Amino acid sequence: MTEAIEREAMEYDVVIVGAGPSGLSAAIRLKQLAEAAGTEITVAVLEKGSEVGAHILSGAVIDPIGLNELLPNWKELGVPLETKVSRDKFVILGPQGDLDVSFLPFPKWMLNHGNYIASLGNVCRSLAAHAEGLGVEIYPGMAASEVVYNEDGSVKGVVAGVFGIAKDGQPGPDFQPGIELHAKYTFIGEGVRGSLAKQLQSKFGLTAGRDPQKFGIGIKELWQVPDENFEAGLTQHTFGWPLKNDTGGGSFMYHFGDNYVAIGFVVHLNYKNPWLSPFDEFQRFKTHPAIRGYLEGGKRISYGARAITEGGHQSLPQLYFPGGVLLGCSAGMVNLPRIKGSHNAVKSGMLAAEAAFAAIGAGRSGDELTAYEETYKTSWIAKELRMVRNLKPLWSRFGTIPGLFLGGIDAIMASMLGGWSPWGTLKHGKSDAESTGLAKDYDPIVYPKPDGEFSFDKLSSVFLSATNHDENQPAHLTLTDASVPIQVNLPRHGEPARLYCPAGVYEVLYDAEGKNPKFQINFQNCVHCKTCDIKDPSQNIVWTTPQGGDGPNYPNM
């Protein structure tokens, strides 16, 4: 239907999809380079959220190394890196007890001295204001829904701003066809498992020869707690309960700002037990005696979830394609053991901007920005990711405690020996979808009912994310084969979509006699975490972007 629509076109030097740290940093760097050279460069940034920061969710402890390079005067500019880390705490949890292991000699890169606790969404809002001051055009509420190609197959730009398509897929009474934004180079900074990045990686074979990308799901709540429970600058990470040793993951808790406690839980999506619910593991975790004391008397004020790339060095795709590049988390530049990626995202945006600016200055357009990947390979991003490349595979093979120990030793050796490891570079093996086990091989997990004080249900949590979707549009979560959930996933895996989704999007409904199961998709609940697109064992669920402005509206996340 959309192919036959005639649209207006706008021309730019660079179009950037996504107003996250990578996209905004690229935009700022392009304008800085143009100013220094005394030339002009036109830059547009498209953001599918209702505002910049609406879809940004991260822990977040931020390493300022990228910002220091991009904006050395970021403090004077008011970029809200709010609270400097004052203390690192590492704890192993058991069912009732806990063991503080902070005394162990953790590698320096695991510690957070010199880092800041903040809302990454608010940091992006600040960067967007600075970018606009430099002349960058930012369009929030404008989802980039498809790629536009030149006749030679290179990327010409994207379509954005399509509104008013009715449930049947046809133009409704309020239909707006959107516009085409054409560019000499198109930057894709959609974040983890972006729909356009996924298409481009497939079309141009960008993952050929790479390991499968690995993912986790990060679920986060923001609390405001009493003074007696608050320690400004405290960062705490836990491993162990409620997850078993063969299920990777852990928790984070960061104290910052106005008595805010950002508390979250990460589950690696290569878990095998299809009865596991990451959301319910998180709720159960907060009831632990060593955790609930921090939250007692506090108020939960926000909730959200987001997939996290964990593959690192081995899983990084080719960063360029004809007419554009992949930035930050769209490429998978998260450092898993540090639980950090925003600093790498900032740097990747800068490197891409520098490559594009040089190419445009030389009169080029629509070709491959190979210089971007070349400079990446000599950057501190590549060095950082290569140093910790074996931690995820070792964690997956040996379990949490042995894997973390072996991975830590390996990373320390790599840092001392220029990246050398006795294991070389270990492979990740299966995708996360392929790792899902059969329901018959595992006992169902019975989770305790929410107590309404420390643990909560999915729907009340989604309410705190301020998620909203126009119900008259087609569902942005589609099934390649509508029969698979009931005929394949339910008998084989217990239909795990109803469990791994942290927003109650997927349900299996039965009739009054408990028969005739039906698969239901409540797309209105979707918080855009992308877990379903990643973990569905049949790879039958496809996440596409809804119309602009829909989805969560995260405050201070």
Side-chain angles (χ1 to χ4, degrees):
M1 185 271 295
T2 55
E3 292 179 359
I5 294 174
E6 292 188 7
R7 298 184 174 93
E8 294 182 4
M10 298 175 66
E11 303 288 336
Y12 292 91
D13 291 315
V14 178
V15 167
I16 300 171
V17 179
S22 64
L24 292 169
S25 297
I28 290 170
R29 186 66 183 136
L30 284 164
K31 286 294 188 178
Q32 289 174 337
L33 291 167
E35 183 178 0
T39 61
E40 291 290 331
I41 191 166
T42 56
V43 183
V45 178
L46 301 170
E47 169 54 44
K48 68 182 174 68
S50 60
E51 64 171 352
V52 173
H55 290 179
I56 297 291
L57 185 143
S58 180
V61 172
I62 297 174
D63 184 338
I65 182 173
L67 277 176
N68 289 342
E69 293 186 11
L70 178 68
L71 297 169
N73 61 333
W74 59 263
K75 290 184 180 179
E76 289 76 18
L77 292 172
V79 177
L81 296 190
E82 296 190 33
T83 304
K84 206 163 191 176
V85 173
S86 60
R87 182 163 74 103
D88 279 302
K89 189 176 179 182
F90 299 91
V91 179
I92 298 175
L93 296 182
Q96 291 298 321
D98 61 283
L99 176 64
D100 188 334
V101 293
S102 307
F103 63 90
L104 293 175
F106 285 89
K108 286 185 178 180
W109 47 262
M110 280 285 287
L111 303 176
N112 287 298
H113 177 75
N115 297 334
Y116 292 82
I117 307 169
S119 158
L120 185 59
N122 289 341
V123 169
C124 288
R125 291 179 177 100
S126 176
L127 292 177
H130 183 67
E132 288 182 316
L134 294 174
V136 175
E137 297 177 27
I138 300 179
Y139 300 102
M142 293 281 280
S145 52
E146 61 182 281
V147 180
V148 180
Y149 297 95
N150 291 301
E151 289 185 3
D152 63 1
S154 63
V155 171
K156 185 177 186 178
V158 294
V159 174
V162 178
F163 292 93
I165 296 178
K167 283 186 177 182
D168 62 2
Q170 298 302 311
D174 299 322
F175 176 68
Q176 299 177 37
I179 58 174
E180 291 188 6
L181 288 93
H182 299 164
K184 294 173 181 174
Y185 296 101
T186 301
F187 290 6
I188 305 296
E190 298 171 299
V192 179
R193 196 73 166 194
S195 53
L196 299 188
K198 185 179 173 184
Q199 294 172 33
L200 291 165
Q201 288 182 55
S202 175
K203 179 178 177 64
F204 293 110
L206 305 185
T207 59
R210 269 71 168 183
D211 272 18
Q213 185 58 266
K214 306 297 286 183
F215 299 89
I217 177 173
I219 306 173
K220 175 184 174 181
E221 294 174 351
L222 186 66
W223 288 62
Q224 197 162 33
V225 302
D227 289 343
E228 58 268 24
N229 299 345
F230 182 73
E231 181 186 336
L234 170 66
T235 72
Q236 175 176 290
H237 296 92
T238 75
F239 307 97
W241 190 89
L243 300 179
K244 294 183 178 179
N245 187 62
D246 64 354
T247 302
S251 81
F252 61 86
M253 180 176 65
Y254 308 140
H255 292 220
F256 73 109
D258 185 17
N259 283 42
Y260 291 134
V261 171
I263 186 164
F265 202 72
V266 176
V267 178
H268 300 179
L269 288 176
N270 62 354
Y271 66 82
K272 298 177 182 178
N273 187 344
W275 302 106
L276 186 143
S277 165
F279 174 88
D280 291 298
E281 296 291 344
F282 175 38
Q283 300 307 314
R284 182 161 61 165
F285 153 78
K286 288 181 293 171
T287 66
H288 193 283
I291 305 301
R292 61 189 298 157
Y294 287 105
L295 305 177
E296 200 118 34
K299 181 181 181 182
R300 189 176 71 142
I301 58 179
S302 193
Y303 166 86
R306 193 72 174 92
I308 305 165
T309 52
E310 296 183 345
H313 173 77
Q314 299 92 312
S315 301
L316 216 68
Q318 180 175 297
L319 300 179
Y320 59 87
F321 50 84
V325 298
L326 301 175
L327 304 176
C329 286
S330 283
M333 295 183 184
V334 170
N335 182 322
L336 172 61
R338 294 190 74 195
I339 325 179
K340 289 180 180 63
S342 60
H343 64 303
N344 289 341
V346 169
K347 182 65 172 178
S348 75
M350 296 175 65
L351 295 176
E354 289 159 6
F357 185 79
I360 292 169
R364 292 163 45 200
S365 68
D367 59 354
E368 296 181 336
L369 290 174
T370 56
Y372 170 44
E373 185 152 319
E374 290 168 3
T375 54
Y376 161 80
K377 289 177 179 178
T378 60
S379 71
W380 46 257
I381 312 175
K383 180 180 179 181
E384 180 177 306
L385 295 183
R386 188 166 184 267
M387 184 174 65
V388 299
R389 67 191 183 278
N390 288 330
L391 189 136
K392 171 70 176 182
L394 289 168
W395 195 339
S396 298
R397 293 184 190 188
F398 295 102
T400 297
I401 303 303
L404 284 173
F405 176 76
L406 292 171
I409 295 297
D410 179 74
I412 292 172
M413 292 177 64
S415 65
M416 295 172 61
L417 301 173
W420 180 86
S421 165
W423 284 291
T425 299
L426 296 174
K427 299 291 186 182
H428 290 306
K430 296 179 181 178
S431 70
D432 293 331
E434 294 170 324
S435 300
T436 311
L438 299 177
K440 67 180 180 63
D441 295 334
Y442 297 87
D443 294 326
I445 302 173
V446 179
Y447 290 102
K449 292 183 178 180
D451 59 24
E453 183 180 3
F454 301 103
S455 59
F456 305 88
D457 62 32
K458 287 183 180 180
L459 293 185
S460 67
S461 299
V462 172
F463 177 79
L464 290 180
S465 70
T467 293
N468 180 68
H469 293 87
D470 185 342
E471 297 186 13
N472 293 318
Q473 66 184 304
H476 63 281
L477 302 160
T478 62
L479 302 177
T480 303
D481 184 339
S483 70
V484 165
I486 299 303
Q487 294 184 14
V488 179
N489 284 356
L490 186 59
R492 285 178 58 83
H493 307 284
E495 186 39 88
R498 62 193 177 84
L499 296 170
Y500 58 61
C501 174
V505 169
Y506 304 101
E507 293 182 280
V508 176
L509 304 177
Y510 296 85
D511 63 20
E513 297 179 356
K515 300 178 180 179
N516 300 314
K518 175 186 175 183
F519 190 64
Q520 179 167 297
I521 300 176
N522 307 306
F523 77 89
Q524 302 89 339
N525 292 355
C526 179
V527 295
H528 299 196
C529 73
K530 315 293 180 64
T531 302
C532 56
D533 195 287
I534 297 162
K535 185 60 175 172
D536 175 38
S538 300
Q539 285 296 275
N540 188 53
I541 299 174
V542 179
W543 196 99
T544 58
T545 184
Q547 67 182 25
D550 285 5
N553 288 277
Y554 293 137
N556 301 317
M557 295 285 268

